[in-house]
Amino acid sequence: MIAYLERFVHGNDVESRQNDNDEDVVDCTSFFDELDLQGSIDYVATGLAGKDFGGLRSIKPLALIRPAGTDDVAMVVKAAAQSSNLTVAARGNGHSINGQAMADRGLVLDMRSMEDVFEVVLVNGTAYVDVSGGALWEDVLKRCVSGFRLAPRSWTDYLSLTVGGTLSNAGVSGQAFRYGPQTSNVTELEVVTGKGEIFVCSETENSELFFGALGGLGQFGIITRARILLQPAPDMVRWIRVVYSEFEEFTRDAEFLVTQQDGDSFDYVEGFVFVNSDDPANGWPSVPLDSNHGFDPTRIPKTAGSVLYCLEVALHYRNTDHPSTVDMDVDGLLGRLGFVENLKFELDLSYTEFLLRVKHAEEHARAHGLWDAPHPWLNLFVSKSDIDEFDRAVFKNILKGGVGGPMLIYPLLRSMWDTRTSVVLPEGEIFYIVALLRSNLPYPKGPSPEKLVAQNHEVIQCCIKNGFDFKLYLPHYEIQEGWKRHFGNQWTRFEERKANFDPLAILAPGQKIFSRIHQL
Ligand code: FAD
């Protein structure tokens, strides 16, 4: 087998390689025949593996492998470890922005092809679901709710993402203030390390691998199964948006809500910045929750500036709750907030519809040719201590015209994040997630991706120049120096974990943190 690999890898002459070259195909076939995979391998139609949601780069792998299960994953990683320089990238649903799930002339594992795992288990009276690392969160939701009236506690806004993909980052949405990110809501993982070994890990068993893999950017292992904490699923959600003209009032109310005890606040708290104009993508029309709601701009105070703020909250309830009780609870909570009077939008919908709300935005974007266009998105965590200055320098200045899509901003609590995971955060208990979800028409109808990437760079430079305490979320750096700065005093731990679990740096090469160690 190694002989095949050596020939294959050494003959693998970068860009000039023709994937449909017969000789290579023969080599590949022989190699994978030796491996005895239950799944399949594609060395010609590798297009999927060279694309991601960002649409900013296209990197051809050597082969796209569809593993049938954990044994296939382990076999592929072990074989790569015996080669001189092959790398392996797990691909979730390819919703990264900067090629993080790609492998330049390496092997890409399509994790969505993994065998279906779905088992609800009770451990000491608490319900969990075991799912494959390649499962989509939307499927986890539908199956948990329809089969068991149960649901995970912590989500992302959009659910066509894989379990392994979000757990390798953090997984954040409007429930994270209460339950922490998704990485705080798993108790056990099955992981294939960079040595091709299969481990079950948890807080008490192989804990270094468990915490390393959570938020580990795919560097220490491939998550093949996860055990996710469940809770009873509510039936319905009251979804509400209220508008603010002053940033200080918006943040005061958002911080008030996320620091209340369970039962004294909403179940979901997010927010976004929008442009004080009638621009359809960036302005007032982006606020109402359905087309029957109009936005009355005469309500905006005369003192308002170029941008406005929207606090987005939601309250869960049961079908058996009396409507007047729900109204009373909502009014009680809203009564404590200082938003602009009469700029309030409400909608009642099922819990599942609420969690799948971004699916509608996807359908709309697909219909208008926006989904397949490049998405130079930028996500940051910014400390509360710098958020006022960030608003002045970034939202009111650099981005005052909007980004052609949502500019999310909402507070999170550091104490809900486990510092043993690989995620790095700003200092201080309260920090904000800022997400610039650009959704422009493709160039030349819209701005060029280069221009938007340059604007992201300007935002980052502004944070650095002003000495803001911030971290990139879903980070991306081209060189290791950037990563060292990103991890700061956590870099040594990150490096040690790499040396332990993936000493040849085979895994997730698209993150560009470590270079594959070549073997003779
Ligand atoms: P991929 O992009 O395929 O992979 C991401 C990284 O994880 C790669 O390095 C890959 O090698 C690695 N990886 C993938 N699977 C595994 C595995 N099983 N084991 C180990 N490593 C693996 N994030 C949030 O936190 N909150 C949001 O609300 C949110 N909304 C989003 C909305 C949209 C429309 C999009 C496009 C992204 C959003 N994200 C959000 C970002 C999302 O969490 C990341 O893109 C994440 O990478 C998940 O995407 P994926 O499953 O497609 O993973």
Side-chain angles (χ1 to χ4, degrees):
M1 177 181 71
I2 297 176
Y4 283 124
L5 271 171
E6 295 306 308
R7 181 170 158 222
F8 190 37
V9 170
H10 290 306
N12 171 18
D13 195 13
V14 204
E15 314 299 334
S16 61
R17 249 193 102 252
Q18 294 296 310
N19 256 334
D20 51 1
N21 177 302
D22 287 348
E23 201 184 325
D24 282 349
V25 172
V26 170
D27 271 358
C28 255
T29 313
S30 315
F31 165 48
F32 288 103
D33 280 352
E34 291 275 314
L35 284 186
D36 195 22
L37 292 175
Q38 298 301 300
S40 66
I41 161 126
D42 209 325
Y43 14 76
V44 179
T46 55
L48 172 84
K51 284 191 203 156
D52 65 17
F53 183 78
L56 299 170
R57 55 192 77 205
S58 163
I59 297 167
K60 228 171 166 27
L62 202 58
L64 173 62
I65 298 169
R66 296 190 179 83
T70 305
D71 288 342
D72 277 2
V73 172
M75 219 181 288
V76 168
V77 176
K78 250 187 202 141
Q82 288 171 32
S83 76
S84 64
N85 63 358
L86 271 181
T87 54
V88 179
R91 183 181 198 274
N93 207 20
H95 278 57
S96 291
I97 300 301
N98 292 291
Q100 285 94 331
M102 297 181 192
D104 191 357
R105 289 162 288 144
L107 308 172
V108 172
L109 293 168
D110 177 5
M111 297 303 288
R112 288 197 54 197
S113 71
M114 294 273 289
E115 70 193 342
D116 186 32
V117 178
F118 183 87
E119 194 181 352
V120 171
V121 291
L122 271 182
V123 182
N124 299 328
T126 305
Y128 301 86
V129 64
D130 284 342
V131 291
S132 153
L136 291 182
W137 282 103
E138 63 191 22
D139 295 330
V140 176
L141 168 72
K142 287 175 196 164
R143 293 171 81 172
C144 286
V145 172
S146 65
F148 301 88
R149 304 300 308 158
L150 294 170
R153 310 188 308 178
S154 185
W155 295 98
T156 46
D157 294 345
Y158 172 70
L159 305 188
S160 296
L161 307 170
T162 63
V163 168
T166 67
L167 292 180
S168 298
N169 285 290
V172 184
S173 185
Q175 306 83 9
F177 74 94
R178 178 164 301 155
Y179 300 116
Q182 292 180 319
T183 44
S184 297
N185 290 275
V186 279
T187 57
E188 187 180 286
L189 299 173
E190 179 189 72
V191 174
V192 176
T193 66
K195 298 175 189 167
E197 296 166 329
I198 304 169
F199 287 104
V200 170
C201 55
S202 66
E203 185 172 13
T204 51
E205 188 185 359
N206 299 309
S207 59
E208 197 58 21
L209 180 59
F210 178 69
F211 290 116
L214 294 173
L217 307 172
Q219 293 305 301
F220 313 116
I222 296 175
I223 299 168
T224 47
R225 182 181 59 77
R227 175 165 291 180
I228 300 158
L229 191 54
L230 299 176
Q231 67 180 5
D235 300 311
M236 297 291 293
V237 170
R238 168 100 27 112
W239 184 16
I240 304 153
R241 287 180 175 172
V242 290
V243 171
Y244 293 77
S245 62
E246 304 306 319
F247 188 65
E248 289 71 16
E249 288 166 12
F250 164 77
T251 52
R252 189 196 56 216
D253 281 357
E255 289 176 21
F256 166 75
L257 290 174
V258 302
T259 49
Q260 296 305 295
Q261 294 298 312
D262 194 356
D264 291 338
S265 186
F266 288 100
D267 296 298
Y268 162 103
V269 178
E270 288 204 4
F272 60 92
V273 183
F274 63 102
V275 176
N276 190 2
S277 80
D278 62 358
D279 180 88
N282 299 291
W284 310 322
S286 63
V287 179
L289 290 169
D290 76 23
S291 48
N292 301 327
H293 295 160
F295 187 103
D296 180 0
T298 63
R299 301 279 174 188
I300 302 169
K302 297 278 172 287
T303 50
S306 56
V307 293
L308 300 168
Y309 309 92
C310 178
L311 185 64
E312 179 176 86
V313 292
L315 193 75
H316 297 165
Y317 62 93
R318 298 222 148 266
N319 285 331
T320 47
D321 289 334
H322 197 275
S324 63
T325 317
V326 179
D327 291 346
M328 216 164 62
D329 289 348
V330 168
D331 290 346
L333 289 168
L334 290 180
R336 303 175 73 174
L337 308 181
F339 54 91
V340 178
E341 220 178 316
N342 289 320
L343 280 179
K344 179 177 86 170
F345 306 88
E346 289 183 275
L347 194 65
D348 288 277
L349 68 179
S350 77
Y351 177 64
T352 309
E353 282 171 331
F354 174 69
L355 289 177
L356 293 173
R357 64 199 178 280
V358 180
K359 203 77 188 164
H360 300 299
E362 175 181 350
E363 283 157 17
H364 179 268
R366 283 193 189 280
H368 292 83
L370 301 172
W371 194 257
D372 293 325
H375 294 96
W377 286 7
L378 179 67
N379 287 268
L380 307 160
F381 293 141
V382 182
S383 173
K384 166 183 159 67
S385 58
D386 293 314
I387 203 67
D388 289 347
E389 197 49 45
F390 183 94
D391 170 59
R392 272 190 285 280
V394 177
F395 289 131
K396 289 194 171 93
N397 184 20
I398 301 174
L399 303 178
K400 61 178 182 289
V403 297
M407 300 191 284
L408 305 186
I409 174 166
Y410 56 94
L412 297 164
L413 305 180
R414 199 176 207 275
S415 50
M416 299 308 301
W417 296 60
D418 195 320
T419 52
R420 292 170 293 180
T421 70
S422 296
V423 184
V424 284
L425 301 173
E427 296 300 323
E429 170 60 358
I430 298 180
F431 62 96
Y432 281 77
I433 181 166
V434 172
L436 307 181
L437 309 181
R438 303 172 181 282
S439 189
N440 305 97
L441 276 168
Y443 181 75
K445 285 188 181 154
S448 73
E450 292 76 21
K451 196 169 160 195
L452 301 177
V453 170
Q455 194 180 55
N456 288 345
H457 192 65
E458 190 185 349
V459 171
I460 295 169
Q461 284 310 311
C462 168
C463 293
I464 295 172
K465 200 181 76 208
N466 285 293
F468 293 164
D469 178 18
F470 80 104
K471 294 286 177 196
L472 292 188
Y473 174 50
L474 309 166
H476 163 66
Y477 297 95
E478 289 292 333
I479 53 167
Q480 202 180 62
E481 278 314 303
W483 286 108
K484 284 186 182 169
R485 270 197 303 277
H486 174 75
F487 284 104
N489 59 13
Q490 301 297 319
W491 172 250
T492 309
R493 182 180 73 176
F494 199 82
E495 223 180 6
E496 279 168 10
R497 285 175 169 171
K498 188 71 175 176
N500 275 341
F501 301 116
D502 183 22
L504 297 176
I506 286 165
L507 301 177
Q511 299 279 4
K512 299 194 177 167
I513 307 176
F514 300 97
S515 300
R516 172 72 156 93
I517 293 175
H518 288 222
Q519 301 176 107
L520 292 175

